[in-house]
Amino acid sequence: MQTHEQVDEHSHQHHHTGHADEHQQDYPMVPQRPSREQLAHIKGWGADLDRKNRPAVPMERTPPRFIHAHEGKLPQQPETVEILTSTERPGITPIFGTVQPPKGLSGMLRRLAFRWSENDMRHWLILLAADRVNVVEGIGEDLAKGKVPNVLAEMGIKSEWEHNKAGLVKKAAIGAAVVGTAVYLMRRRDR
């Protein structure tokens, strides 16, 4: 084996400054941002830099069209149905929805949910349960009026079959497994 002094300095392939120094000239230590000229080939780049380059400038208005600052306080919408309000906000907002007032068992659940703050899990879980109960109530109302609801069509089965067959088959298999397990457990209990 040769020692360092015995090695022919011309047979050594690289400089003695080290491997890292050799490549550091190609890659600066601090990343350089490309200049505007270097990025100009990207379509639309820098459109926000100069107002003249913005596509909507000829049609833009300041203040924007259709947005008018309301003078004074908004008038309060009259309460024609029961409005559920959060415990975190005093009073009701000036404008609110009246299409689905709380009624029946789902309404009772919603009233119960609004006893708790919006950061309480009970609030949201009870509201989710109320939504499910409302679906069943709606089917019951339809049947009471003599209308048989087409539940599968309302669930979007046809569209699901056209656009997501694998997802529909998976949902059907899971549903069948749940129903099958429930039937099995009920029959087993009866024995």
Side-chain angles (χ1 to χ4, degrees), residues 57-76:
V57 165
M59 295 175 278
E60 268 185 353
R61 292 174 40 149
T62 304
R65 205 173 308 193
F66 304 118
I67 300 174
H68 303 289
H70 196 282
E71 295 178 10
K73 189 176 179 184
L74 286 172
Q76 180 67 50

Side-chain angles (χ1 to χ4, degrees), residues 82-89 102 104-131:
E82 179 184 3
I83 305 298
L84 300 174
T85 58
S86 171
T87 60
E88 297 163 352
R89 293 185 207 103
L105 180 59
S106 63
M108 290 170 49
L109 288 171
R110 290 181 205 286
R111 286 182 202 98
L112 177 67
F114 276 92
R115 290 182 185 173
W116 286 286
S117 171
E118 291 180 14
N119 66 348
D120 193 323
M121 186 66 72
R122 291 175 289 189
H123 175 85
W124 299 107
L125 291 176
I126 293 172
L127 286 178
L128 284 172
D131 286 345

Side-chain angles (χ1 to χ4, degrees), residues 24-182:
Q24 284 179 351
Q25 294 172 356
D26 296 338
Y27 303 102
M29 294 301 282
V30 178
Q32 298 290 321
R33 293 190 93 173
S35 67
R36 290 181 181 183
E37 292 76 28
Q38 290 171 318
L39 296 173
H41 70 282
I42 301 172
K43 186 175 181 179
W45 183 87
D48 57 342
L49 296 177
D50 186 3
R51 187 168 162 78
K52 292 182 291 189
N53 293 336
R54 292 177 63 179
V57 165
M59 295 175 278
E60 268 185 353
R61 292 174 40 149
T62 304
R65 205 173 308 193
F66 304 118
I67 300 174
H68 303 289
H70 196 282
E71 295 178 10
K73 189 176 179 184
L74 286 172
Q76 180 67 50
Q77 177 180 348
E79 292 183 55
T80 57
V81 297
E82 179 184 3
I83 305 298
L84 300 174
T85 58
S86 171
T87 60
E88 297 163 352
R89 293 185 207 103
I92 61 173
T93 58
I95 299 171
F96 48 84
T98 59
V99 177
Q100 294 290 337
K103 63 179 180 178
L105 180 59
S106 63
M108 290 170 49
L109 288 171
R110 290 181 205 286
R111 286 182 202 98
L112 177 67
F114 276 92
R115 290 182 185 173
W116 286 286
S117 171
E118 291 180 14
N119 66 348
D120 193 323
M121 186 66 72
R122 291 175 289 189
H123 175 85
W124 299 107
L125 291 176
I126 293 172
L127 286 178
L128 284 172
D131 286 345
R132 302 318 182 264
V133 168
N134 197 355
V135 169
V136 175
E137 287 175 338
I139 292 171
E141 286 177 13
D142 285 347
L143 292 173
K145 293 177 184 175
K147 178 184 174 193
V148 178
N150 188 349
V151 176
L152 294 179
E154 291 175 8
M155 290 175 59
I157 298 293
K158 182 179 177 185
S159 178
E160 186 94 24
W161 181 253
E162 289 177 14
H163 302 289
N164 187 17
K165 289 181 184 172
L168 180 61
V169 170
K170 182 178 175 183
K171 289 176 189 175
I174 291 171
V178 168
V179 170
T181 302

